[in-house]
Amino acid sequence: MLGGLAAAALLLTGGPAGAAPADGPAPSAPVNRAFARAAEEFQVPRDLLVAVGYGESRLDDHGGKPSHAGGYGVMHLVDNPVHRTLEEAAELTGEPEADLRRDTAANVLGAAAVLRAYADESGLDAAERRDPDAWYPVVARYGGADDARTARLYADAVYDFLADGFSALTPAGERVTVEPRDVDPELGRYAEVRPLGDPAGPAASPESSGTGALSTDYPPALWAPAHSGNYTAGRTSPITHIVVHVTQGSYAGAIGWFQNPDADVSAHYVIRSFDGQVTQTVRDRDTAWHARSGNPYSIGIEHEGYVDNPAWFTDAMYRSSAALTRHLCDRHGIPRDRAHIVGHHEVPGNDHTDPGPNWNWTYYMQLVRGGDATAPVQLDFASYGTLRSGSTGAQVKAAQHLLNQNGFDAGAVDGVFGAATEGAVRAFQRNRGLTADGAVGARTWTALLSAGATPTLRQGSSGEDVRRLQRALTAALGRTVGTDGLFGQATDTAVRDYQRTRGLAVDGIVGAGTWGALQAGR
């Protein structure tokens, strides 16, 4: 599976990964500085350290709130009955556990200390410590899974990130980058462990309790059974509902937690963010412990990520989850509607909030009901060119989609700018008080991309409305504003630049005035 990463956040250009720049991160880059310092102090390769954090949290500390497994911070230092990397980090660094939970610099330093301690126990010498490929068994151990196949799943993901590279924004808008590199990890004892899904591995029989290659309830899924103490064998009610969850942690971490006898929790399926890979952990016929009062009559589907960070909810995840849900609905006779496909927070007697406001129910249910296998229309571009009659391509499709979505009939979304599209553009322009020339330039793009609701947005906001704002700012300012759905420092700067150049109040808050200017194509 190494090298198979396809997440939207990946950086697919650049040279081999190396250490931080020689002159070090800028003073205004505290997270980059924390990784550089920790890597140097404990002799852990910087990019490896960042990749572990990216896989655990997308470099978001979630305000010091714990994950499902009691893990904290960008490096997911864990405090639970069987996995105590938080306590280990405190002993190794002398940092108070409270700081390790909430302070990113301390959290990164603590994780580096734990990784170095594991490396020492593995016998890595100074030369080996400089080679990221030598750290594979150490990374597998850091993931905390008792099951060797699940440990491989965790380590393989980290090395996928190293192979393909990535560029992530922290909640404060700081960019942290790992360039792509060639990887050839030294698997050590894991060379004898078949990865989940290996077709050469043993297939899981319907009665098998061991980890096998495939699920028997849903053939595309892997099978990694939860501990028998974390679910109830059999059912007391017919299956009538599907419950959508968010893991509040990583994919491999959730699977490993369900295998932990102290967890007292499980779900039937877990779906990975970047590629939509599915693992089943409890058979459909058994009662997973995922939704309290809803357990007897429902199937629980966990989605890798955190409710407050929309970057986890990729199109690959939505499509994979929808395909699974369609299969389950057909298999168990569940209606494909929102009365029977619900969020965790909608199940009576629950106090959870997942899947949260960033989960796109409209899109998800379209996929579930229609089984749409076509790619969604691309709306995110680094820049938006001028379109006119005769233009073709992805940006024409985007314009056609937006026109149709806003009630201006552009005809088929086929990427060909013909008479129907031109007529719709002119009608839209007249509606917005723009020059009705039938061409989609910067002003028309700005109005099209920003069309819709006008919620107040500011630093810390997230979700599809922020993505819509970021697209519109890209068109209006003529420069790329990253469309990650997170209103961080970069978006705040773009908003202020827009407000300043349009004669608006420069406060970084997108309220009625700023939305109005955008939607008028200013």
Side-chain angles (χ1 to χ4, degrees), residues 13 50 73 95 179 286 375 407 419 435 474 501:
T13 59
V50 178
E95 297 278 354
E179 301 287 350
D286 293 327
T435 301
T474 295
T501 56

Side-chain angles (χ1 to χ4, degrees), residues 149 162 197 224 287 294 330 426 471:
R149 284 188 142 189
L162 280 176
T287 305
D330 292 345
R426 291 182 188 275
R471 296 181 193 117

Side-chain angles (χ1 to χ4, degrees), residues 88-471:
E88 293 175 52
E91 292 174 356
L92 290 165
T93 64
E95 297 278 354
E97 289 190 11
D99 290 349
L100 290 165
R101 288 188 181 98
R102 294 186 172 275
D103 181 79
T104 293
N107 188 266
V108 172
L109 193 72
V114 172
L115 286 163
R116 172 60 188 275
Y118 292 172
D120 289 346
E121 292 174 23
S122 297
L124 295 189
D125 61 26
E128 290 169 326
R129 289 197 300 272
R130 290 192 290 271
D131 179 8
D133 288 337
W135 287 74
Y136 185 96
V138 174
V139 172
R141 180 180 174 186
Y142 185 87
D146 290 332
D147 178 80
R149 284 188 142 189
T150 306
R152 270 211 66 166
L153 188 70
Y154 178 91
D156 284 347
V158 171
Y159 280 84
D160 275 340
F161 293 135
L162 280 176
D164 289 332
F166 56 89
S167 183
L169 282 176
T170 70
E174 180 184 348
R175 187 165 296 280
V176 182
T177 298
V178 167
E179 301 287 350
R181 60 169 293 134
D182 292 331
V183 298
D184 185 18
E186 299 170 14
L187 304 184
R189 72 181 185 90
Y190 292 97
E192 305 301 319
V193 178
R194 295 189 187 277
L196 285 174
D198 184 349
S205 71
E207 305 305 322
S208 171
S209 61
T211 300
L214 298 173
S215 157
T216 55
D217 290 323
Y218 183 55
L222 309 179
W223 169 243
H227 188 273
S228 60
N230 291 332
Y231 67 91
T232 302
R235 293 271 186 176
T236 59
S237 298
I239 299 170
T240 59
H241 288 70
I242 293 170
V243 180
V244 173
H245 300 266
V246 175
T247 58
Q248 295 298 99
S250 72
Y251 174 70
I255 296 167
W257 184 235
F258 297 160
Q259 294 171 336
N260 184 322
D262 293 301
D264 291 328
V265 67
S266 61
H268 293 90
Y269 298 91
V270 187
I271 300 182
R272 187 159 61 186
S273 171
F274 74 75
D275 63 353
Q277 185 183 83
V278 183
T279 293
Q280 184 178 17
T281 64
V282 177
R283 299 291 187 200
D284 289 5
R285 66 179 181 231
D286 293 327
T287 305
W289 298 349
H290 63 102
R292 296 187 183 176
S293 65
N295 291 341
Y297 58 81
S298 68
I299 290 176
I301 304 176
E302 289 278 4
H303 298 80
E304 181 184 29
Y306 287 80
V307 297
D308 60 354
N309 189 338
W312 292 90
F313 302 148
T314 65
D315 192 66
M317 172 183 278
Y318 278 122
R319 289 179 176 276
S320 176
S321 178
L324 169 61
T325 294
R326 288 197 306 273
H327 167 84
L328 294 172
C329 288
D330 292 345
R331 186 180 193 203
H332 300 291
I334 302 170
R336 297 184 187 181
D337 60 38
R338 283 285 282 116
H340 296 85
I341 303 169
V342 300
H344 191 178
H345 69 288
E346 296 173 297
V347 179
N350 282 272
D351 58 2
H352 288 242
T353 62
D354 56 317
N358 295 310
W359 182 259
N360 191 335
W361 276 109
T362 300
Y363 179 48
Y364 185 64
M365 292 306 297
Q366 286 173 348
L367 294 174
V368 170
R369 291 184 182 118
D372 173 23
T374 62
V377 175
Q378 180 184 354
L379 298 177
D380 299 344
F381 297 92
S383 62
Y384 294 86
T386 299
L387 308 176
R388 54 177 53 87
S389 182
S391 297
T392 60
Q395 292 202 2
V396 175
K397 283 187 175 182
Q400 291 168 328
H401 170 78
L402 292 167
L403 288 163
N404 289 339
Q405 190 177 57
N406 286 283
F408 298 86
D409 185 8
V413 180
D414 58 6
V416 178
F417 199 127
T421 302
E422 183 174 351
V425 170
R426 291 182 188 275
F428 177 81
Q429 290 170 327
R430 286 191 292 269
N431 181 268
R432 296 301 194 269
L434 300 167
T435 301
D437 58 6
V440 183
R443 295 192 64 185
T444 302
W445 270 124
T446 301
L448 266 176
L449 291 162
S450 62
T454 58
T456 299
L457 304 175
R458 52 171 55 86
Q459 278 211 55
S461 298
S462 61
E464 186 55 35
D465 289 324
V466 176
R467 290 176 67 92
R468 182 161 52 93
L469 168 68
Q470 291 166 329
R471 296 181 193 117

